[in-house]
Structures are given as C-alpha cells and as structure tokens.
Amino acid sequence: MEKYQGLAAFIIENVGGKENILSVTHCMTRLRFTLNDDTKVKEENLVNSPEIMTAQFAGGRYQVVVGTHVSDVFQVIQSELGLLGEEEVEEKKGGVNRLIEIITKVITPVLGILTASGLLQGILALLTVTNVLSEGDGAYIVLHAMGQTVFYFLPVVLGYTSAKAFKLNPFVGMMLGAILLIPELMTNLVNDQVLYTLFQGSIFETDIHNTFFGIPILFPANGYQYSVIPIIFITFLGSKVEKFLKRVVPELLAHNLNAFLTILITFPLSILIIGPVTNVLSSLISAGVSGLYAISPVITSVVVGLLYQPLVIFGLHWPMSAIGINNLAQYGVDYIFPMSFTANFAQTAVVLAVYLKTRSKEQKALAIPAMVSGIFCIIEPAIYGFSLPVKKRFIFSMIGGAVGSFILAISATKMYAFAFGILGFVSFINPENGSLSGLYIAIFASIVTMIVSFCLTYFTFKEEEDVVDSTKKTLVKTEAIYSPVEGEVLPITMASDQSFALEMMGKGVVIKPKNGKITSPINGVIKTIFPGGHAIGIESPSGVEVLIHIGVDTVELKGEGFEILANVDDEVVVGQELVNVNLALLSELNVKDEVMVVITNTPEFLDVIPEEAVMIKKGKKIITVIPFNQSKETQLEVAHS
C-alpha cells in the first residue's frame, strides 16, 4: 500500500483536510466523501492530477474517481484518518475462496513481524550450531524469546486483525485471544486430576479435568499457543454476538455493556465448542497417519507431503508433530518429520519463481525476506504473501513437498533430532555411527522439491494474478458485444454519470431500458458482482472485459429493487439473465435507470466501435471490439459493417 500513500495524502489535502472529512466509503472506482464544508474542496487540483480520473459532487457526496485500485487507496485513506469507515459492499464469493480470502486478510498485516521472528530464529540457530551460544547463555534466552514471542502470542495478534476483518471491536478480539493463552487455563484445565473420560476406548478418548457449570471442557492438551484458525472462528462468533447486542442493547448502555457481554457470551461458547472440534480433528489426523503408515510408509509419505502445508494453515499439523516428538523421545529416531521436512523448501522455491518473474516492485521487496524466512522453516510469510492468494501456487508447493517426502520415504531416511529448515539437515546424521547418507539424501530431496515447485510456478506464472496487467491477452478475431436489455442505445458521452460520459471507464454505450431484465452481453465468466446488483463485470475467453452498470448512483439503494440471478465465477452465455431491476421503483425514487455497457480494458484493443443511436432489442449487437492483430482489410470491413 505504500505506493498509494502520496495519492491518499494529496486527496485528503484537496478535499479540505482530515478535519473536513466526516466519513469515506467507496464503490468500484470512486471514493465517496461526506464533508463538513463543501467549499473547502480544491476541485481543480484534483481534476488536474494525472492519478485521478475526475472528481465531482454527486448524490450529496464528493466523489473522487481513481480507478479499479480504489480499494487499496481507500485502505490507506482510512488508516490516515483513523476512521472505522468501511467498504460499501463486498463481492459474493464461494466458500473456499471466501475462507482463503479471510485467512489472507487476517494474516497479511502480521507478515512483517512473522518474517522478523523467522530471521531471529535463523540467526539463533546459526549461532548455536557454530557454538557461539549455548542454550544456557543469557543471550540465547533473550534471542529465543524474541524469536518465539509472536508465535506464542499469535492468537492475540490475530484476535486484532481478524476482529478488523469481521468488523468486531478489535480490542475485544485481542482480549479473546489473550484469554486463550492465560496460564491458569493450561494449569487448571489440563492437570493430573481426571474427573472422568469421554469416548473411552475410541480414538477420541479424552480425559475431562474440569467442567463449566457441569458441561465438560475439552481443552487441547497443547493449548492454543501458535494456533491460527481457532481465534479466527472465535472472533467471527464474537462479531455476530456484538452485532446482535448493538440491535438490542439501548444506546445509553451500549458503551459500557457491549464489550462485556460480547466476551461473556463468546468465550464460554468458544471454549466449549472450538476445543472439542480441535480435539476431534487432531485425533482423526493422528489415527489416520499412524494407521496409514502401518499399511504403507511410501503412501503415507505422499499423503503427508501433500497435506502438511494445508494442515499448517489450519493449525492441525501439531498431531503429526506429537507423533514425531514421541518417537524421538522413545526411540531416538523418527519417520514422521522427514515427510514434512521439504515443505519449507517448496514454499521458498515458489517465492523465488515469483521474484524472478514479477514486475511488481512491491512483490519483489516482500519476496526476499519471505525466502530468507522460508529456508529457516518459517513459511507463513511465503504462504500468506505469495502462494495462498494464488491457489495454483499453493498446489505447486504441495506437489513439490510430496515429491521430496516420497524420495525420503523410499530411501527409508529417518531423522534423529527435531530441527527443520536449512539448519535441520544435521538432524539426518546418525548419531550412533556418524553416517552421512541420510544427510545427502535429505539435501537431494530438498533440491528436487525446489526444482519441481520452482518450475511449475515459473512456467505457469501470470502477472495479472498479482498485479492487474492483462496486456498479454489478445483476441484471435473481432468480438461482438450484444445488448443486455431492450431499449434505446445512445453514445456513452450522453450518460448522466460523468465518469462514464468522459469514457474514463472505457468506450461503450448507454441504454435507456424498456424493461428491467438484464442479460449477459457476451459468453464468458462473471468476475465481479456488486452485492447490490447494480454493477456486473464479465470477461470473455478472449480477454474482453465488459462492465454493465445499471442506473446512476444506484449503489445508494444497497440492493433495493435489484434481484441478483447469478454468482461470481459463473460461466454465462449471451442472453442469460443476470439481474432483475424494478424500474418502477427506481422511477419512484427519482433514480436514473440508464444502463452503461463499457469495455473496461479498451486500451488493449485497436478499436472499440459502438453502434449508432438506435432502438434495439435485447441480444442485438451494440459494440464491436477489434484487436491489434487484425489485418487492415478486416479492420476496414468491420468498421464499415
């Protein structure tokens, strides 16, 4: 976000300064300011800025059009103002996409301190291996605490960031995370006194040490330190509780009661529900790994190699670690840890490939510390900053990790100590006879892992997955855009919305609709649907990006009068209904019902030719898109057709 700091400061200054801004929201391309004094706006400065498309008063608010990166600019402005403003609406997304988006949104703000901790632990490991420090030294103790603190208190840190994501009071989120870690829970909920045992004789057998008003508390044996997912679920629950309380608690009492009641209701429910769920999942994973290994160590290695990294995200890798630690304690050798040893090298290779391919300075700057942390087995910066946001990269790292795990399994390579990352290779040296064969195989497996993950990422890399850069998309033939609604087609310059009229969103047309049935103008995939239903973005297989914007300032209606009939990521065909609009309601509310159809990536094409003003039926051609790779004859033929 640093690249937008200057733009954000410029906008704030020219809308009258921080003290003149009451609130700020945004839609697809523009910031919307509610101001104390409209006369303080320096419109000429804003309009003349090369980074701002236009600026104007509309709908009672001052609107600054910056383009599709408006969300990033909004976040910087929100931070500068210290406002709890929020985006007006969010896109609908599928369950998996939504979960990944939430995890990424929660983790991204802490990537810096995660990287710092990884570097501290790497330095400490290096100083220890070279005998500069030993575990009893004061310097070792201090450096170890510095490197472990963020991981130990991760639920507190994530309590804050996830609360921001779920729009819960962030300090309530921090407190919920802190309660999870308070020592007396571990001391009193997991102790020597066993009241009774649940599920005795099964893999879910659990000793109950205490109850909550008679309800058994299934507290994880390892506590919630270093965990990620539990606190996210807890703050999600807390956000729902707080939202309910805001509706029912009188405003006079809300300031003093809402935080208290949110914590009082949320945490007991969490400790009684999240705990049991975590225990059940842990038991299933432990039993599954042990049972599968008894059948086939090689198959187990592939399964664990594939699943280890997803389990890290959900904080469910600890059951496997427990098996490995138990093996080392009892036998001095382990078969589980080698299965996950190469995972961090897979993630590091993915980041390296992105670093070499991307043109984004921001990505390159983040990649270097992520790689340094990765080789010391701190893979969170790589996961949440590079591989997880682009799902196929995460799959590539899983495949690379599985390949390395397979090599170690077929060679029956074992580990003799608990150590990972580049300094963990020493754990493959057999302490009984000093054999280095395991060390050599581990190095080979790690190199193969990196080659596989690197090549898969490098040769399938697409810049637009990180940065909007679709210049590589080309049409193989001219493409027709069809009318999404019956009505009168007019030049886009006649649109009431100036950002469309000035073709800042791209070339296109404006339609005065006869009815409210909006259909798809192309065959393609829906990329964006504003939850209110007033704007839809569709991309054709050949790369034409079409935006259908229904009405002027209809975002203010927040969905009233709009019935959405499709979802993001749906494949649609010409004529398929997308939205039903109540035109009578728009008329009653004095809202203009113009339908703008524009090609948002107009500069990528030789020309975008709209039809002349005409009454047109739904499904008839309204725009022709001509790519750069057409012959002059074809261009002339289309232009005169």
Side-chain angles (χ1 to χ4, degrees):
M1 301 301 177
E2 288 183 7
K3 65 179 177 179
Y4 298 119
Q5 292 285 350
L7 175 58
F10 176 81
I11 293 172
I12 291 171
E13 178 186 352
N14 285 283
V15 296
K18 293 181 181 180
E19 65 281 354
N20 196 39
I21 300 172
L22 291 175
S23 65
V24 57
T25 57
H26 79 83
C27 62
M28 292 186 72
T29 58
R30 65 192 74 179
L31 298 160
R32 298 171 181 265
F33 291 93
T34 301
L35 304 174
N36 278 312
D37 185 353
D38 294 343
T39 64
K40 292 185 177 181
V41 174
K42 299 175 182 176
E43 188 164 291
E44 185 177 353
N45 292 346
L46 292 166
V47 172
N48 290 333
S49 170
E51 295 183 274
I52 295 172
M53 296 179 178
T54 190
Q56 63 187 34
F57 282 101
R61 288 189 282 177
Y62 195 70
Q63 305 192 23
V64 180
V65 182
V66 297
T68 54
H69 55 285
V70 64
S71 179
D72 294 331
V73 179
F74 168 78
Q75 289 183 39
V76 177
I77 288 178
Q78 185 184 27
S79 175
E80 290 291 321
L81 298 177
L83 294 174
L84 293 178
E86 58 190 55
E87 299 180 16
E88 294 187 0
V89 281
E90 294 177 355
E91 295 179 9
K92 290 183 178 179
K93 301 197 176 184
V96 174
N97 287 340
R98 178 63 178 152
L99 179 59
I100 291 175
E101 180 185 60
I102 289 172
I103 294 173
T104 304
K105 190 174 181 179
V106 168
I107 295 293
T108 298
V110 300
L111 286 177
I113 56 175
L114 288 176
T115 299
S117 296
L119 294 174
L120 283 166
Q121 292 186 70
I123 291 170
L124 182 61
L126 185 62
L127 292 174
T128 305
V129 167
T130 55
N131 294 319
V132 174
L133 293 177
S134 61
E135 292 189 13
D137 294 339
Y140 178 95
I141 295 169
V142 172
L143 288 171
H144 184 266
M146 290 165 61
Q148 287 292 318
T149 296
V150 67
F151 294 99
Y152 185 92
F153 291 105
L154 202 53
V156 179
V157 178
L158 299 184
Y160 178 84
T161 58
S162 57
K164 295 278 281 185
F166 294 124
K167 299 177 177 59
L168 170 69
N169 181 336
F171 297 104
V172 170
M174 291 177 69
M175 188 166 178
L176 290 171
I179 297 172
L180 283 177
L181 304 179
I182 197 165
E184 65 182 88
L185 287 185
M186 282 291 293
T187 303
N188 297 313
L189 297 183
V190 185
N191 52 37
D192 295 334
Q193 181 184 359
V194 178
L195 299 180
Y196 51 89
T197 302
L198 289 179
F199 315 118
Q200 196 162 10
S202 72
I203 61 171
F204 304 116
E205 181 173 311
T206 305
D207 291 334
I208 302 301
H209 302 270
N210 223 318
T211 65
F212 184 81
F213 293 109
I215 303 173
I217 301 174
L218 286 74
F219 196 83
N222 297 320
Y224 289 96
Q225 300 93 325
Y226 308 96
S227 65
V228 172
I229 295 302
I231 187 59
I232 295 178
F233 283 133
I234 290 171
T235 51
F236 174 75
L237 174 61
S239 70
K240 297 301 181 184
V241 172
E242 185 182 68
K243 186 176 181 180
F244 170 76
L245 292 172
K246 285 180 178 178
R247 292 200 304 266
V248 300
V249 176
E251 189 174 344
L252 183 65
L253 302 174
H255 180 74
N256 293 320
L257 283 183
N258 278 5
F260 158 69
L261 291 174
T262 299
I263 294 169
L264 181 64
I265 296 169
T266 302
F267 194 78
L269 288 175
S270 301
I271 212 74
L272 295 172
I273 297 172
I274 299 296
V277 169
T278 304
N279 285 341
V280 167
L281 290 174
S282 297
S283 298
L284 286 173
I285 292 169
S286 296
V289 172
S290 299
L292 188 60
Y293 190 82
I295 298 171
S296 171
V298 173
I299 293 176
T300 307
S301 71
V302 174
V303 172
V304 173
L306 280 172
L307 298 183
Y308 179 78
Q309 294 173 68
L311 290 175
V312 168
I313 295 175
F314 289 95
L316 297 174
H317 59 299
W318 295 112
M320 287 192 295
S321 297
I323 297 173
I325 291 170
N326 183 69
N327 289 340
L328 288 173
Q330 290 191 21
Y331 313 113
V333 64
D334 172 60
Y335 62 87
I336 288 291
F337 287 138
M339 298 179 188
S340 58
F341 183 81
T342 58
N344 64 291
F345 296 105
Q347 286 287 342
T348 302
V350 167
V351 179
L352 176 61
V354 174
Y355 175 81
L356 294 176
K357 291 288 283 187
T358 186
R359 296 189 297 275
S360 167
K361 293 180 180 179
E362 191 173 309
Q363 286 277 289
K364 284 183 179 291
L366 289 171
I368 294 174
M371 285 188 285
V372 174
S373 293
I375 63 174
F376 288 109
C377 202
I378 305 300
I379 59 176
E380 286 83 357
I383 288 177
Y384 297 111
F386 290 87
S387 61
L388 190 59
V390 182
K391 293 186 286 295
K392 70 178 183 181
R393 293 182 195 160
F394 191 74
I395 294 171
F396 294 158
S397 69
M398 291 168 58
I399 294 171
V403 170
S405 178
F406 176 78
I407 293 171
L408 290 169
I410 60 174
S411 60
T413 302
K414 303 291 191 296
M415 289 179 69
Y416 301 91
F418 182 71
F420 288 86
I422 194 168
L423 299 176
F425 286 113
V426 295
S427 62
F428 288 93
I429 301 173
N430 190 327
E432 292 185 5
N433 55 26
S435 172
L436 298 177
S437 60
L439 170 64
Y440 299 142
I441 295 172
I443 293 173
F444 173 73
S446 299
I447 292 172
V448 173
T449 289
M450 295 190 73
I451 291 173
V452 170
S453 299
F454 177 88
C455 290
L456 288 173
T457 305
Y458 187 88
F459 292 111
T460 63
F461 180 87
K462 291 182 180 179
E463 187 73 69
E464 61 266 22
E465 293 168 332
D466 288 305
V467 188
V468 177
D469 176 23
S470 52
T471 55
K472 294 181 181 178
K473 298 178 181 177
T474 56
L475 289 167
V476 295
K477 59 183 180 180
T478 57
E479 184 151 349
I481 311 301
Y482 301 94
S483 179
V485 66
E486 184 177 355
E488 183 182 3
V489 177
L490 298 171
I492 194 68
T493 53
M494 295 182 68
S496 299
D497 189 319
Q498 288 303 298
S499 61
F500 286 97
L502 296 174
E503 297 188 342
M504 292 177 177
M505 299 294 101
K507 290 185 177 182
V509 300
V510 58
I511 305 171
K512 291 186 176 180
K514 277 195 167 185
N515 59 59
K517 294 185 182 297
I518 308 299
T519 62
S520 177
I522 57 171
N523 298 330
V525 177
I526 296 177
K527 294 296 184 180
T528 304
I529 298 181
F530 244 55
H534 74 285
I536 302 173
I538 310 174
E539 182 178 354
S540 75
S542 54
V544 178
E545 297 171 4
V546 181
L547 173 65
I548 308 168
H549 194 286
I550 308 159
V552 177
D553 285 328
T554 39
V555 65
E556 307 289 350
L557 300 180
K558 298 182 178 178
E560 185 179 1
F562 290 79
E563 180 189 3
I564 301 172
L565 305 175
N567 298 296
V568 171
D569 294 332
D570 280 359
E571 292 187 6
V572 293
V573 296
V574 173
Q576 181 175 332
E577 289 193 13
L578 305 177
V579 180
N580 277 334
V581 186
N582 187 337
L583 297 184
L585 176 62
L586 298 191
S587 179
E588 288 176 18
L589 297 174
N590 245 358
V591 175
K592 293 183 179 179
D593 58 8
E594 300 170 1
V595 177
M596 278 69 71
V597 182
V598 297
I599 310 302
T600 56
N601 57 340
T602 291
E604 296 176 22
F605 306 109
L606 178 66
D607 204 354
V608 173
I609 306 173
E611 292 292 309
E612 298 290 333
V614 64
M615 287 298 298
I616 200 163
K617 290 185 178 181
K618 180 173 56 180
K620 295 296 183 180
K621 185 175 71 170
I622 55 173
I623 300 171
T624 300
V625 180
I626 306 176
F628 281 104
N629 61 342
Q630 292 296 304
S631 67
K632 290 182 180 180
E633 290 77 8
T634 303
Q635 294 165 16
L636 290 171
E637 180 184 342
V638 173
H640 290 89
S641 64

